[in-house]
Amino acid sequence: MHGSEDQEFLALERELSVFLRRARASSGEMARALHPELEPAAYGLLVRLEAAGRQRATELAAYFGVGKATMSRQLRALELLGLVAREPDPADGRAFLVGLTDEGRDRFLRVRGARREQYMRKLADWDRGEVAELARLLRQLNSGEE
């Protein structure tokens, strides 16, 4: 593809770059609001654990496309902050499941509520169908990454 055929993809790259930069900054703010010592990347782990429930570290690593060592380090940090806890996997006593603690869930839900309010303010002029379509398209884009 050359010339004008590339314009749609160049526009997509430009807009995604801005979106991702802003999303990283926002995740940093959300992480700090949740706990001052929380790394921005760890916020996404809490999102996943709240949505999917307890999981093995290997499942989380696969979901996010990171190595086991990276995931172990991030989970250890969350555990030290009291936001997640490990417990033996009933299906395999050698493995552990990681889940949110009550404190982790309470903090996460408070911060997520604040984030949702930000989205609602920013998209107040959008039709609900447009918001749903954006979510659908982002889900479609994300599913292509798995």
Side-chain angles (χ1 to χ4, degrees):
M1 292 188 346
H2 290 70
S4 64
E5 295 175 12
D6 287 339
Q7 293 307 307
E8 296 85 0
F9 291 98
L10 291 172
L12 176 62
E13 178 186 27
R14 183 177 50 251
E15 296 305 322
L16 279 176
S17 294
V18 171
F19 177 79
L20 292 171
R21 180 171 285 218
R22 289 179 179 169
R24 278 192 292 273
S26 178
S27 286
E29 292 169 12
M30 294 295 126
R32 285 187 297 279
L34 203 138
H35 193 288
E37 297 174 38
L38 187 63
E39 292 180 24
Y43 183 81
L45 275 171
L46 299 178
V47 171
R48 179 65 180 169
L49 288 171
E50 200 281 325
R54 298 176 311 165
Q55 295 190 335
R56 290 182 180 185
T58 53
E59 293 171 316
L60 290 166
Y63 179 81
F64 286 105
V66 300
K68 292 178 190 176
T70 298
M71 185 55 57
S72 292
R73 183 184 58 77
Q74 289 179 345
L75 290 173
R76 252 191 324 276
L78 288 170
E79 196 171 11
L80 289 171
L81 295 175
L83 302 175
V84 302
R86 293 183 312 149
E87 59 185 61
D89 183 344
D92 180 353
R94 300 167 296 167
F96 288 91
L97 296 175
V98 180
L100 293 172
T101 62
D102 289 342
E103 179 183 354
R105 179 169 280 102
D106 290 346
R107 286 177 179 240
F108 172 77
L109 292 175
R110 180 177 41 80
V111 170
R112 185 178 67 181
R115 178 175 251 187
R116 186 178 305 124
E117 288 177 16
Q118 286 179 336
Y119 289 150
M120 290 174 77
R121 281 192 303 275
K122 186 170 184 87
L123 303 175
D125 294 338
W126 287 37
D127 177 271
R128 287 284 176 135
E130 291 173 320
V131 175
E133 180 65 2
L134 176 59
R136 185 191 70 75
L137 290 169
L138 288 170
R139 184 173 39 255
Q140 184 177 335
L141 180 64
N142 286 334
S143 70
E145 294 295 320
E146 293 177 1

